Amino acid sequence: MKFRIFAGLAFVAIALQFPASALADGPAKRKQKLQTNQLVAMLPVSDGVVTLHVQRFFNEALPSVLAGNKGMLADVIAKIDAMKQKTGIDIRSFEYVAAGVVVKPVNGKQHDFEPVVIARGNVDTDKLIAAAKTAANGKYREERFGDKVIYIFPAKEIADVNKPANADPNAVKMVDKLMGHALSEVAVSAISPNTIVFGKPERVRETIEAKTRVGSDLVELLNRKEFVVANMASKVPTGLGAFLPLEDDNLGKSLDSIRYIFGSMDVAAGTAIMNVTARTEKNADAQNLFETLDGLKAVGGMLLGGSKRPDQQLYARLISNAKLSKIGTDVGLDLSIPQSDMDELVAILTKKK
C-alpha cells in the first residue's frame, strides 16, 4: 500500500538523521556546525550533501528509534562490536560525518549514486587503514596522489567472502545491487591524523585533488536550519519525478517542478520532528505543489481516518500531524511523531511477512 511505503520512507529518513540536541546550548551548536562545515568544504562538487553527528546517532538516536524493539537494538550493537573485534574499527569513535553524492542517470528512471564520505573523530586514521588492510587479507591496491596514498578495496569480493551464513536474503540482495554498481570498489585515504575519506574511487580522488567544491547554493541551504544530528540539502535539476514511479500525472508534474530539497531532523520531549522543504523555480509551481500535497493529505486522512486497523490508524495520525506551508517558492512539510507512534511504526516495519 502506498501509505505504508510512504511511512517506511519517512521512518528511514528519521532513523538515519534522528538527533537529540534540544538541550545543547548556542555556542555548542555553533561549534558543531563549524566542524561539519569544515568537512563539507573538503567535499568535491556534489548533487546532495548530508551532515551527521555520529555519536549522538549511536548513543541517543538509535536507542530512541529502537526503544520498542530491544532485540533489534542489541543485534545492531552486537554487529558493531563484532566489526570492532575483527577489524579494529569502531565506527562509534567518529564524531562528525559529511557525505556528498553525485547522481548519474543509467537507463530510464534508473540512477547510480556515487558517494564520498569524510569522517572525523577521536581516531587514528593510520591505524584504521592498517586494520582495513588486514581485514582485506591483502586484497587491495595503492595509488599515490601527491603526498597522499589511496587504498582501493574490492568491496563486493570482500563482502561475499565475509557474508554471514544466516544473512537476511533481502539485505544481501540490496547490498549486491549496491556493490554491483556504484560501490563495486571502495577507496580509503587519510586526510589528516583524525580525518578520513572513503567512497567510490573516482570521488575519493576528486576529494584529494580538491579542484572542485560543493556549490554555494547547497551550502546555503544546508545551513538554513539549525545544526542537529543531521542536515541535508540536494538539487534535482531534472525534477524529483524522475526518481519516482508515479501514476498520477498531476503529482508527477508538481514533483518535476522541484529544483532543491533541504531539511533537518530533531527530537524534543520524546517527539521526533522532521522538516523537509522543496524549492521550485516559480511561485506558481510552488502553489501547485502545495495544493497537490494538501489534496493528497486530505484524501489520505479521509480514507484512513475511519479504519479500525491499527496500522492504518497510525498512518492516519501521521498524515494528520503533517503540517504543510508555503513561503514564496518554498513548500515545507513538518512532521512530528511521538515516541508511542514511533514504537508502533518500528513494530509494523519490522514485522515478518
Side-chain angles (χ1 to χ4, degrees), residues 37 40 43-51 99-102 203 213-225 231-237 259-263 279:
N37 280 348
V40 171
L43 290 171
V45 63
S46 301
D47 294 318
V49 178
V50 175
T51 59
V101 64
V102 167
R203 299 282 286 154
R213 292 284 185 269
V214 173
S216 59
D217 51 350
L218 290 186
V219 174
E220 188 271 333
L221 294 178
L222 197 64
N223 288 321
R224 282 178 68 88
K225 298 296 181 180
N231 290 53
M232 60 80 66
S234 64
K235 56 183 176 182
V236 281
R259 290 297 173 262
Y260 292 93
I261 297 177
F262 58 97
R279 174 168 292 179

Side-chain angles (χ1 to χ4, degrees), residues 78-95:
K79 284 181 169 58
I80 294 173
D81 288 337
M83 184 179 76
K84 178 182 177 182
Q85 184 177 8
K86 290 180 180 179
T87 67
I89 299 174
D90 187 349
I91 58 177
R92 294 165 295 190
S93 296
F94 291 109
E95 292 179 289

Side-chain angles (χ1 to χ4, degrees), residues 63 66-79 346 350:
L66 297 180
N69 193 327
K70 300 296 185 182
M72 178 177 288
L73 177 60
D75 185 53
V76 171
I77 294 174
K79 284 181 169 58
V346 170
T350 56

Side-chain angles (χ1 to χ4, degrees), residues 9 18 30 39-40 53 79 114 125 170 186 193 198 228 238-239 260 269 287 299 311 328 337:
L9 291 174
F18 201 93
R30 286 193 292 272
L39 300 186
V40 171
H53 194 306
K79 284 181 169 58
E114 300 186 350
T125 53
N170 292 326
V186 171
F198 59 92
V228 289
T238 59
Y260 292 93
Q287 183 64 35
V299 172
D311 59 338
I337 308 179

Side-chain angles (χ1 to χ4, degrees), residues 28-345:
K29 287 188 176 182
R30 286 193 292 272
K31 182 179 179 180
Q32 292 165 359
K33 177 170 283 191
L34 177 63
Q35 288 278 349
T36 54
N37 280 348
Q38 288 176 354
L39 300 186
V40 171
M42 298 179 190
L43 290 171
V45 63
S46 301
D47 294 318
V49 178
V50 175
T51 59
L52 180 69
H53 194 306
V54 180
Q55 292 187 348
R56 283 184 178 171
F57 171 74
F58 283 111
N59 295 336
E60 301 175 40
L62 194 62
S64 296
V65 171
L66 297 180
N69 193 327
K70 300 296 185 182
M72 178 177 288
L73 177 60
D75 185 53
V76 171
I77 294 174
K79 284 181 169 58
I80 294 173
D81 288 337
M83 184 179 76
K84 178 182 177 182
Q85 184 177 8
K86 290 180 180 179
T87 67
I89 299 174
D90 187 349
I91 58 177
R92 294 165 295 190
S93 296
F94 291 109
E95 292 179 289
Y96 304 105
V97 162
V101 64
V102 167
V103 183
K104 294 186 176 180
V106 182
N107 293 310
K109 288 192 174 183
Q110 294 184 346
H111 296 80
D112 268 350
F113 297 85
E114 300 186 350
V116 65
V117 179
I118 301 177
R120 173 179 290 168
N122 184 27
V123 298
D124 184 324
T125 53
D126 288 338
K127 289 183 178 179
L128 283 179
I129 292 175
K133 289 159 65 177
T134 299
N137 196 27
K139 295 180 179 179
Y140 66 91
R141 67 181 190 273
E142 298 181 10
E143 290 184 2
R144 292 197 171 272
F145 244 78
D147 62 344
K148 303 294 184 184
V149 180
I150 300 175
Y151 301 89
I152 302 175
F153 300 88
K156 187 178 188 309
E157 182 180 344
I158 294 173
D160 288 341
V161 171
N162 294 283
K163 187 182 301 180
N166 60 344
D168 184 340
N170 292 326
V172 171
K173 184 178 180 180
M174 181 178 68
V175 172
D176 285 344
K177 183 177 181 181
L178 179 65
M179 294 300 184
H181 292 286
L183 289 179
S184 58
E185 291 186 322
V186 171
V188 180
S189 184
I191 295 179
S192 72
N194 71 339
T195 307
I196 196 167
V197 56
F198 59 92
K200 189 175 177 66
E202 290 83 351
R203 299 282 286 154
V204 171
R205 294 187 194 105
E206 290 174 359
T207 303
I208 299 300
E209 282 185 304
K211 291 183 177 179
T212 66
R213 292 284 185 269
V214 173
S216 59
D217 51 350
L218 290 186
V219 174
E220 188 271 333
L221 294 178
L222 197 64
N223 288 321
R224 282 178 68 88
K225 298 296 181 180
E226 185 177 30
F227 177 78
V228 289
V229 162
N231 290 53
M232 60 80 66
S234 64
K235 56 183 176 182
V236 281
T238 59
L240 192 60
F243 297 90
L244 301 172
L246 298 171
E247 299 175 0
D248 188 325
D249 289 339
N250 289 330
L251 179 58
K253 290 178 180 178
S254 294
L255 294 179
D256 279 338
S257 70
I258 296 173
R259 290 297 173 262
Y260 292 93
I261 297 177
F262 58 97
S264 61
M265 305 290 168
D266 203 351
V267 65
T271 299
I273 304 168
M274 177 177 69
N275 168 267
V276 178
T277 300
R279 174 168 292 179
T280 62
E281 283 188 311
K282 303 175 182 178
N283 185 69
D285 293 332
Q287 183 64 35
N288 187 52
L289 175 62
F290 175 83
E291 292 175 355
T292 300
L293 294 177
D294 195 42
L296 290 174
K297 181 177 181 292
V299 172
M302 183 173 59
L303 291 176
L304 297 175
S307 175
K308 295 182 178 180
R309 286 176 44 180
D311 59 338
Q312 293 189 355
Q313 291 176 359
L314 171 61
Y315 303 148
R317 290 196 298 273
L318 292 176
I319 292 173
S320 177
N321 289 338
K323 307 300 181 184
L324 292 171
S325 61
K326 176 190 172 297
I327 302 176
T329 58
D330 291 350
V331 177
L333 169 67
D334 291 278
L335 177 63
S336 299
I337 308 179
Q339 186 68 55
S340 57
D341 283 351
M342 180 65 70
D343 293 343
E344 188 175 342
L345 186 58

